[in-house]
C-alpha cells in the first residue's frame, strides 16, 4: 500500500482560503500543497457511474466511494513514469479523522488565463510553444482514461520555456472500455494525439504491462471492479504502443481544435 501522509491538524495554513473543503497547507519541509478530503459529495454521479467507478450511487455518494483520492495518486505515479512533473505530485493523506489526498502546489497560471476570448482558443504564440507538451498530456490522459481534461485543469508556467502541469486527474481509470469513454455524460475524452514527442514515445514503448498493473493494484486496492480497471488500463497501453509505432515521424501535437486548446462552456 502507498505511504499515507499525516497532516498536523494544528499546522498553520499557507496563504489562501479553503474552497469546497480544500485547504492549503505548508508542510514542515516547506512544501506547499492542497488537502482535498474524500468526504466531499460527488459533483457528477452520472459521469462517475458511467465510468464504472461506483457500486450503485446516490445523492449522498462521496469522492471516497468512487476512490477519487486513489485515482489521483495513481495518475500522479503514472505521469512520473512518462515525464516527471507532467502532472501534479499527489499522495494519500489524513487530517485528523478525515482522509483524502495531498497535492503539491503548482507554480504558474491557469491555461484559461491565456485564452483569446474572441476565438475561445489558447493564445496562438503560447499554443505554438506548448503543442508538443499538450500531445504528451493527451497521451497521458489516454493511458489513464481521463474524461475531464480541459483548459481549466492544466497550468502553464509563467516563465519561458513554458511548462504544462496537469491538475485534477481523479476522473480516471475507468472500468469500462475506451470506446465508451466519449459517450459518458459530459465527457471530454479526446482519444489519441496526432503525434508524440520522442521522449514520451520511447517511454510508452518501454512501459511494461506488469509495472502498470502492479501500480494500480497497489494504489487502488479494494476499489470497485479493480480487475476491470486494470484490464482496461492495459488495453489502453497496448493501443498507445500500436499508435506510437504507426505515427513515427509525425510532429507531436494534440488533436485541434479540442478541449486541450479551446474553452468550451
Amino acid at each position: 500500500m502507498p505511504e499515507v501522509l499525516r497532516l498536523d491538524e494544528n499546522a498553520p495554513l499557507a496563504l489562501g482560503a479553503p474552497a469546497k473543503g480544500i485547504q492549503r497547507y505548508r508542510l514542515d519541509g516547506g512544501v506547499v500543497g492542497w488537502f482535498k478530503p474524500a468526504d466531499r459529495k460527488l459533483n457528477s454521479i452520472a459521469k462517475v457511474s458511467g465510468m464504472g467507478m461506483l457500486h450503485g450511487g446516490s445523492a449522498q455518494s462521496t469522492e471516497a466511494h468512487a476512490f477519487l483520492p486513489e485515482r489521483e495518486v495513481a495518475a500522479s505515479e503514472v505521469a512520473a513514469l512518462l515525464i516527471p512533473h507532467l502532472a501534479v505530485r499527489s499522495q494519500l493523506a489524513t487530517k485528523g479523522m478525515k482522509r483524502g489526498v495531498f497535492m503539491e502546489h503548482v507554480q504558474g497560471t491557469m491555461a484559461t488565463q491565456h485564452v483569446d476570448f474572441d476565438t475561445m482558443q489558447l493564445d496562438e504564440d503560447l499554443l505554438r510553444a506548448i503543442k508538443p507538451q499538450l500531445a504528451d498530456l493527451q497521451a497521458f490522459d489516454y493511458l489513464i482514461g481521463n474524461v475531464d481534461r480541459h483548459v481549466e485543469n492544466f497550468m502553464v508556467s509563467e516563465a519561458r520555456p513554458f511548462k504544462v502541469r496537469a491538475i485534477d486527474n481523479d476522473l480516471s481509470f475507468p472500468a469500462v472500455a475506451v470506446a465508451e469513454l466519449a459517450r459518458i455524460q459530459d465527457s471530454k475524452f479526446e482519444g489519441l494525439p496526432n503525434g508524440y514527442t520522442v521522449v514520451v514515445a520511447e517511454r510508452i514503448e518501454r512501459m511494461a504491462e506488469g509495472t502498470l498493473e502492479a501500480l494500480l493494484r497497489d494504489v487502488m486496492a479494494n476499489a470497485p471492479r479493480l480487475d476491470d480497471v486494470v484490464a482496461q488500463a492495459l488495453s489502453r497501453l497496448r493501443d498507445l504502443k500500436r499508435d506510437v509505432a504507426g505515427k513515427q515521424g509525425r510532429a507531436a501535437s494534440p488533436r485541434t481544435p479540442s478541449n486541450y486548446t479551446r474553452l468550451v462552456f
Side-chain angles (χ1 to χ4, degrees), residues 75-140:
S76 171
E77 295 193 9
V78 168
L81 296 176
L82 292 176
I83 291 184
H85 310 302
L86 175 63
V88 61
R89 292 294 299 167
S90 302
Q91 186 175 353
L92 295 179
T94 59
K95 174 179 171 284
M97 298 299 293
K98 289 182 178 287
R99 74 178 187 88
V101 61
F102 180 81
M103 302 165 291
E104 290 188 11
H105 179 67
V106 176
Q107 296 289 343
T109 58
M110 298 292 293
T112 48
Q113 296 185 36
H114 301 276
V115 168
D116 180 338
F117 283 91
D118 289 331
T119 64
M120 303 305 285
Q121 303 278 345
L122 287 177
D123 173 79
E124 288 186 9
D125 290 338
L126 174 70
L127 181 57
R128 191 177 303 112
I130 66 173
K131 262 189 177 181
Q133 295 179 70
L134 293 182
D136 290 344
L137 182 57
Q138 190 172 354
F140 165 65

Side-chain angles (χ1 to χ4, degrees), residues 137-262:
L137 182 57
Q138 190 172 354
F140 165 65
D141 286 332
Y142 189 93
L143 180 55
I144 67 174
N146 185 3
V147 301
D148 195 42
R149 180 70 63 213
H150 45 83
V151 295
E152 294 176 88
N153 64 13
F154 67 85
M155 309 282 289
V156 180
S157 64
E158 295 179 358
R160 293 176 181 267
F162 296 120
K163 297 292 184 183
V164 169
R165 293 287 300 277
I167 60 174
D168 295 339
N169 304 301
D170 52 7
L171 286 179
S172 302
F173 300 108
V176 300
V178 69
E180 300 297 316
L181 298 185
R183 294 196 283 266
I184 291 170
Q185 180 174 312
D186 299 325
S187 174
K188 294 181 172 58
F189 186 73
E190 294 279 0
L192 295 158
N194 289 334
Y196 301 82
T197 63
V198 172
V199 171
V200 163
E202 289 177 347
R203 290 181 181 175
I204 288 170
E205 289 173 332
R206 293 201 308 261
M207 188 179 293
E209 291 187 14
T211 299
L212 180 59
E213 178 172 1
L215 184 160
L216 293 177
R217 291 194 182 279
D218 178 40
V219 177
M220 294 180 58
N222 303 316
R225 299 180 61 183
L226 181 58
D227 287 344
D228 291 331
V229 168
V230 171
Q232 293 304 326
L234 297 181
S235 177
R236 293 191 302 274
L237 176 59
R238 295 179 201 120
D239 290 345
L240 277 165
K241 288 177 181 288
R242 286 191 294 268
D243 200 57
V244 164
K247 292 177 178 174
Q248 286 185 354
R250 289 194 188 183
S253 66
R255 292 180 180 273
T256 52
S258 70
N259 290 304
Y260 295 80
T261 64
R262 66 182 175 186

Side-chain angles (χ1 to χ4, degrees), residues 3-18:
E3 182 181 354
V4 176
L5 175 66
R6 288 174 172 79
L7 297 173
D8 183 351
E9 285 189 271
N10 300 313
L13 291 177
L15 294 176

